[in-house]
Amino acid sequence: MSSFAAGELMHVLAVDDSSVDRTLIATLLRSSKHRVTTVDSGKRALELLGLESDVNMIITDYWMPEMTGYELLKKVKESSVLRQIPVVIMSSENVPTRINKCLEEGAEDFLLKPVRSSDVRRVCGRMMMR
């Protein structure tokens, strides 16, 4: 991922099966002037990533039906095309072994829900400094 010029926005893919959580994360990201695409499953995220080449970051829920956020993370990191995209995992459960497993697999960060605007600013700021 390249560095961003001042005022340039990231395109963030937000993945969560909960419409309430999807709306919250999208609102937080948009308030920081980022472009957001939301999907309700890991499967749809992979479909979209196959079509969109301009996604700069993925933020995904851990627990989702069909494919967990951890499984999505693994698929992204196993792909030669997608592996450069930073993945941030969110969960309402503070389980250290799960957090460590995600970070070891290549997640940039692990955020506890409810996600706050300060979390979003910190993570996005770090991604834009790369």
Side-chain angles (χ1 to χ4, degrees):
M1 189 173 87
S2 60
S3 296
F4 292 84
E8 190 174 356
L9 307 179
M10 286 197 307
H11 180 192
V12 182
L13 176 58
V15 188
D16 202 313
D17 59 313
S18 160
S19 62
V20 171
D21 287 339
R22 259 195 330 273
T23 300
L24 172 65
I25 197 68
T27 300
L28 290 173
L29 287 161
R30 287 184 181 124
S31 73
S32 294
K33 307 292 186 234
H34 298 295
R35 183 174 151 217
V36 184
T37 300
T38 60
V39 293
D40 62 1
S41 71
K43 186 172 176 245
R44 288 189 192 205
L46 288 173
E47 289 169 3
L48 184 122
L49 289 164
L51 302 171
E52 296 256 351
S53 61
D54 68 340
V55 171
N56 305 112
M57 184 173 80
I58 300 164
I59 186 163
T60 181
D61 184 31
Y62 182 87
W63 279 122
M64 295 182 291
E66 290 181 36
M67 179 187 293
T68 66
Y70 177 73
E71 292 165 334
L72 173 60
L73 167 69
K74 285 183 69 164
K75 290 195 177 294
V76 167
K77 293 306 173 185
E78 289 166 0
S79 164
S80 60
V81 176
L82 304 175
R83 75 163 40 110
Q84 270 65 26
I85 303 173
V87 180
V88 175
I89 308 279
M90 305 177 290
S91 179
S92 55
E93 299 172 350
N94 187 355
V95 181
T97 53
R98 180 182 306 153
I99 294 169
N100 289 336
K101 186 170 81 167
C102 290
L103 295 173
E104 286 168 9
E105 198 62 46
E108 285 296 322
D109 210 335
F110 195 103
L111 302 178
L112 288 174
K113 291 181 178 181
V115 175
R116 300 180 314 258
S117 59
S118 58
D119 296 326
V120 170
R121 281 194 307 272
R122 177 177 52 81
V123 168
C124 291
R126 206 168 65 230
M127 296 306 120
M128 292 177 69
M129 296 301 289
R130 296 174 132 214

